Amino acid sequence: MERTVLRCADGHVFTAATFPMQQAERLGPGRLVRCPRCARLRSAVPVVSEKR
């Protein structure tokens, strides 16, 4: 199973096995997920990796 790297609104970076509605681009990139670092429901976006 592929894991997604996410960043919450407070700047915490973590991974999740699933990212709700990942393919629904019309709703925008942010989703509400529970951040494991601050234990709050936060808006999170996928971290885009730079490929060089």
Side-chain angles (χ1 to χ4, degrees), residues 4-46:
T4 304
V5 180
L6 304 172
R7 176 173 289 129
C8 82
D10 285 344
H12 302 134
V13 177
F14 57 97
T15 61
T18 60
F19 189 50
M21 298 169 51
Q22 189 169 7
Q23 302 301 322
E25 294 178 21
R26 64 183 175 83
L27 297 175
R31 302 289 178 266
L32 287 176
V33 294
R34 187 163 304 279
C35 175
R37 299 275 314 274
C38 58
R40 294 187 174 157
L41 200 59
R42 298 277 187 209
S43 174
V45 294

